[in-house]
């Protein structure tokens, strides 16, 4: 339950919008939820528009807002700064045309999320 994550969308070469979630950020929980339910740019944008969350849910309206400030707090509406690659977090990144990628906790590289989940990539 206590695995934090960053959820981001790549807007340009090295520009990102991102939010933070302190709970249930592991690949089989948050990763699976993002892969199954946030499968278009529009859905990802709506999620990011709501700011940091405690828990990810299948629909944006069901996501719980962040209850208390954390050291990773993104400021509520995301950031256009470089994406923070916190070593102790899973980082999920949406890229148009590619779908979800994930930089698992303590890894150096971003991997296609579908490979980590063991499923085919529907965006390619």
């Amino acid at each position: 339950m206590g695995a934090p994550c960053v959820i981001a969308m790549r807007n340009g070469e090295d520009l990102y919008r991102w939010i933070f979630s302190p709970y249930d950020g592991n690949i089989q929980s948050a990763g699976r939820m993002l892969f199954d339910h946030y499968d278009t740019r529009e859905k990802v944008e709506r999620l990011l528009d709501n700011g940091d969350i405690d828990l990810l849910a299948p629909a944006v309206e069901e996501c719980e807002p962040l209850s208390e400030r954390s050291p990773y707090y993104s400021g509520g509406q995301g950031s256009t700064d470089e994406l923070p690659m916190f070593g102790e977090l899973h980082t999920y990144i949406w890229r148009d045309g590619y779908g979800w990628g994930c930089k698992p906790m303590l890894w150096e590289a971003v991997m296609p999320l579908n490979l980590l989940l063991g499923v085919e990539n529907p965006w390619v």
Side-chain angles (χ1 to χ4, degrees), residues 1-5 7 20-26 29-30 53-56 64-68 89 92:
M1 183 85 176
C5 70
I7 301 168
F20 171 76
S21 178
Y23 303 113
D24 219 12
N26 66 57
S29 295
I53 55 174
D54 268 341
L55 289 172
L56 184 62
E64 298 177 25
L66 191 65
S67 57
E68 58 185 69
L89 307 176
Y92 300 99

Side-chain angles (χ1 to χ4, degrees), residues 17-65:
R17 260 183 89 201
W18 59 277
I19 60 172
F20 171 76
S21 178
Y23 303 113
D24 219 12
N26 66 57
I27 293 166
Q28 290 303 326
S29 295
R32 187 81 208 191
M33 182 96 51
L34 290 167
F35 189 85
D36 290 344
H37 299 283
Y38 295 88
D39 55 356
T40 66
R41 179 182 181 87
E42 293 75 24
K43 290 178 184 178
V44 176
E45 285 177 336
R46 285 186 51 224
L47 176 63
L48 297 176
D49 286 346
N50 281 349
D52 295 339
I53 55 174
D54 268 341
L55 289 172
L56 184 62
V60 171
E61 303 79 32
E62 299 169 7
C63 293
E64 298 177 25

